[in-house]
């Protein structure tokens, strides 16, 4: 998927857009990470087969992340 180094680079580039909002942006970024993690953990607990639930969550999360990455690449830069 991705390495911590890639996440650090992405976060640094994202926060450099508005340096005056670094604290708020970092807090929001962390909160979103925790919410997504909690939702994925809860989704894995659903169903009768934990392996199938885990695989479904991984495929779904990977698909959504690739869709978001594709959309982010299509945004034109100023």
């Amino acid at each position: 998927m991705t390495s911590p180094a890639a996440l650090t680079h992405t976060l640094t580039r994202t926060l450099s857009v508005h340096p005056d909002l670094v604290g708020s942006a970092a807090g929001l970024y962390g909160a979103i990470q925790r919410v997504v993690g909690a939702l994925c953990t809860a989704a894995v607990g659903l169903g009768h087969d934990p392996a199938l639930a885990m695989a479904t969550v991984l495929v779904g999360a990977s698909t959504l992340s690739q869709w978001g990455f594709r959309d982010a690449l299509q945004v034109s830069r100023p």
Side-chain angles (χ1 to χ4, degrees):
M1 300 302 179
T2 188
S3 69
L7 289 175
T8 303
H9 176 70
T10 302
L11 183 59
T12 303
R13 296 229 13 211
T14 303
L15 294 178
S16 68
V17 175
H18 291 286
D20 53 325
L21 298 175
V22 169
S24 299
L28 182 62
Y29 180 79
I32 290 172
Q33 275 188 315
R34 286 179 179 84
V35 167
V36 170
L39 290 174
C40 288
T41 301
V44 168
L46 299 175
H48 299 291
D49 186 9
L52 180 60
M54 179 192 62
T56 303
V57 168
L58 283 173
V59 169
S62 297
T63 302
L64 284 174
S65 67
Q66 290 300 313
W67 177 64
F69 183 67
R70 184 197 65 188
D71 283 351
L73 288 177
Q74 292 177 354
V75 173
S76 63
R77 294 184 182 173

